[in-house]
Amino acid sequence: QDISNAGCSFAIGANQGIKREMLVGAVLEVPGLQPLRVNMEIRNTRPILGDSVRRLVGVRFNALAPAERSALARALSAWRIQQSRD
């Protein structure tokens, strides 16, 4: 759904049992960046209008080193520029 160097949002199954303030881990794969293991804190979760099967979850990335956060910001910027050209 959305991503920045501070966090992201994505859709999950409505019955996944995700709750606010839970800590979860994932691997981000962004073009131009090596896969990046991140720890995330669930900041919010809400229903998706018209979709009873999925929910929208917003997370904040925790404990990213400054170099990782900068590299992620650069990779996302380059990816968005490329997307706007296609």
Side-chain angles (χ1 to χ4, degrees), residues 26-63:
V27 176
L28 290 179
E29 294 187 9
V30 178
L33 185 66
Q34 292 292 321
L36 179 62
R37 181 169 295 283
V38 294
N39 294 314
M40 305 176 292
E41 178 186 358
I42 306 296
R43 301 297 293 164
N44 56 63
T45 177
R46 65 175 174 83
I48 298 173
L49 187 62
D51 187 342
S52 63
V53 179
R54 299 180 305 153
R55 294 183 65 78
L56 188 65
V57 174
V59 300
R60 177 177 62 191
F61 301 139
N62 287 344

